[in-house]
Amino acid sequence: MSNLQRVMMKSRLPPMCPNPKFPKPNDRGFRRTTDYNPVMWSEYFAEQRDVQTGKGVFRVYLTKQPEETGPLLVMLHGGGFSALSWAHFSVEIAKIIHCQCLAIDIRGHGDTQTDNEDDLSAETLAQDIGDILQTMYGESCPPVLLVGHSMGGAICVHVANMDVVPALIGAVVIDVVEGTALEALASMQSFLRSRPNTFKSIQHAIEWCVRSGQIRNIESARVSMPGQIVNIETGKLSTNELPLPEESTDEPTKFSNPNAIAEDAELLPPAVPTPVPSASAAAAASVKKYTWRIDLSKSEKYWEGWFQGLSQKFLDVRVPKLLLLAGIDNLDRALTVGQMQGKFQLQVLARCGHAVHEDRPHEVAEVIGTYLLRNKFAQPAGDGHFLKNMPMC
């Protein structure tokens, strides 16, 4: 029977009687429950380590050693994020190629503690990466692929140009281009002011992260968002409080941020009068327990230094390069000409936000895995299924 025949036959059948035991999403009063509870780093990484250099103690996360020889993927997060933003990507890339992932909490972020937390100049951040690798591996450093997102992508380019990683084999920059980045700086302070300054719980922060669209993949937000906030009383990163007690759950929160997106708002029943909450309940709802790990607004003087001249510096990098963007319109003139001349590989992933590697970790892993296999920097993992079905363009 053809598909057309099936459709015609179905159209003649009487409608099925709905089962009252199982409400449908469009039934009044039905509401999906979303799990905003945080997930620990150990679900994705094999080891966390504090690396002592002459400038401070840097928190890094490592996946397990590959079964066969492979490159070391050194991953640098964007401004305000943490090394845990690479958690899902690290799992996905290990399914495709033999490699080890090293995610670093950059100075001023995550659980890294340095002598001068406010020095976020491009040169300082790039030198930090070189110092970390020198401390960890010395002269026996494996082949290194630098992977950076947003600010981390700019630091990757600076690291490559400063030659502080002698074993560098390639560079991957995710969703950062000089022209669009410099244009966005004018509205950056307004964007930062639009974010809530405090959260009453870790779940509250994760819920905001997803509803505001900062991260569109809730599973990634559950592991990465705790690395971006600290406990106001203790000053420690919220990841140090995990796992949370089982009874530590929150009610859904209504955000005042106009950019917040309410889930299933059209499915809720009409509002009914509710009793006035007691003073103790109101006080509990207004608790300010967590805040941002870093105040990005204070780093404004370094913003132009991250991105000024970035396109030409990217083109000047002497190793194979990959630029991964969330939209083709983000290319500026210098990169457009360079891409037409074949100076780097360009890949665009649609239907995702700025945190491309968090929103679509599997697709990003496929792109980077393909790039490494084509350049013969890595060997395929598993039974080689990905290599047999590797995209040709």
Side-chain angles (χ1 to χ4, degrees):
M1 183 183 293
S2 67
N3 290 333
L4 178 60
Q5 288 175 315
R6 290 192 183 94
V7 173
M8 294 178 63
M9 291 294 293
K10 288 181 180 179
S11 65
R12 297 177 182 178
L13 295 175
M16 295 181 62
C17 179
N19 190 337
K21 296 182 179 179
F22 301 97
K24 295 184 295 183
N26 57 354
D27 289 344
R28 293 177 67 88
F30 174 84
R31 183 176 178 85
R32 293 173 297 179
T33 57
T34 306
D35 186 5
Y36 294 113
N37 289 312
V39 179
M40 292 188 65
W41 62 269
S42 55
E43 296 288 329
Y44 303 93
F45 294 99
E47 177 187 2
Q48 70 172 11
R49 191 185 303 177
D50 290 329
V51 180
Q52 176 80 51
T53 71
K55 300 176 182 177
V57 180
F58 293 83
R59 170 63 57 85
V60 303
Y61 298 88
L62 289 151
T63 57
K64 65 179 182 180
Q65 288 280 357
E67 297 178 0
E68 298 182 16
T69 303
L72 176 68
L73 274 59
V74 178
M75 303 177 299
L76 308 179
H77 58 80
F81 289 82
S82 78
L84 296 177
S85 68
W86 298 102
H88 273 267
F89 168 80
S90 298
V91 173
E92 295 296 335
I93 194 68
K95 297 176 183 177
I96 298 174
I97 60 171
H98 290 287
C99 67
Q100 185 177 30
C101 295
L102 171 65
I104 302 174
D105 277 340
I106 294 175
R107 175 188 294 253
H109 297 73
D111 257 329
T112 287
Q113 302 294 329
T114 58
D115 299 334
N116 187 356
E117 294 276 289
D118 297 329
D119 184 4
L120 299 179
S121 64
E123 293 75 15
T124 298
L125 299 182
Q127 189 60 54
D128 286 340
I129 306 306
D131 293 342
I132 293 170
L133 294 178
Q134 177 64 31
T135 301
M136 294 182 66
Y137 300 100
E139 300 300 325
S140 59
C141 185
V144 171
L145 173 73
L146 289 173
V147 184
H149 165 246
S150 193
M151 178 198 75
I155 302 308
C156 278
V157 175
H158 287 281
V159 171
N161 277 271
M162 291 171 61
D163 292 327
V164 295
V165 181
L168 186 64
I169 60 173
V172 178
V173 175
I174 300 178
D175 210 37
V176 58
V177 172
E178 176 186 352
T180 52
L182 291 175
E183 291 175 2
L185 295 183
S187 57
M188 183 58 66
Q189 289 287 7
S190 297
F191 165 75
L192 295 176
R193 286 194 295 269
S194 70
R195 305 190 305 175
N197 292 323
T198 59
F199 303 97
K200 66 180 182 180
S201 66
I202 301 176
Q203 294 94 328
H204 179 215
I206 295 172
E207 184 178 2
W208 172 86
C209 180
V210 175
R211 292 196 176 192
S212 66
Q214 175 175 300
I215 299 175
R216 303 183 183 183
N217 180 354
I218 186 171
E219 295 304 320
S220 185
R222 290 173 64 194
V223 64
S224 69
M225 190 61 188
Q228 302 178 42
I229 57 176
V230 296
N231 188 303
I232 295 177
E233 293 183 1
T234 65
K236 293 184 177 181
L237 203 68
S238 66
T239 54
N240 295 299
E241 302 176 8
L242 304 182
L244 295 176
E246 292 185 2
E247 64 272 10
S248 177
T249 58
D250 286 336
E251 294 295 327
T253 306
K254 291 185 178 181
F255 293 97
S256 59
N257 190 323
N259 296 324
I261 304 172
E263 298 182 21
D264 303 331
E266 72 282 2
L267 306 179
L268 297 177
V272 295
T274 57
V276 178
S278 63
S280 58
S286 62
V287 170
K288 299 178 180 180
K289 189 173 181 181
Y290 298 91
T291 189
W292 297 103
R293 161 65 173 89
I294 179 174
D295 185 354
L296 285 175
S297 62
K298 295 181 179 180
S299 64
E300 182 176 10
K301 60 182 178 181
Y302 298 111
W303 293 351
E304 286 194 12
W306 296 342
F307 307 117
Q308 194 73 47
L310 183 63
S311 293
Q312 190 58 50
K313 290 178 181 178
F314 177 72
L315 296 173
D316 291 340
V317 173
R318 295 188 295 272
V319 295
K321 303 173 287 294
L322 168 64
L323 179 61
L324 203 162
L325 300 177
I328 190 64
D329 295 338
N330 294 346
L331 277 183
D332 56 20
R333 178 183 175 85
L335 291 180
T336 300
V337 174
Q339 197 273 331
M340 294 175 66
Q341 294 174 343
K343 292 185 177 181
F344 64 93
Q345 178 183 337
L346 173 66
Q347 184 72 39
V348 179
L349 289 181
R351 300 185 301 278
C352 57
H354 178 51
V356 185
H357 60 298
E358 295 205 57
D359 293 346
R360 301 178 67 182
H362 178 71
E363 288 85 347
V364 173
E366 285 190 336
V367 171
I368 296 179
T370 302
Y371 157 82
L372 287 168
L373 291 171
R374 282 183 179 160
N375 286 280
K376 298 182 178 180
F377 292 149
Q379 298 296 323
D383 57 359
H385 176 76
F386 176 76
L387 184 61
K388 297 175 184 177
N389 299 276
M390 190 170 66
M392 298 307 295
C393 61

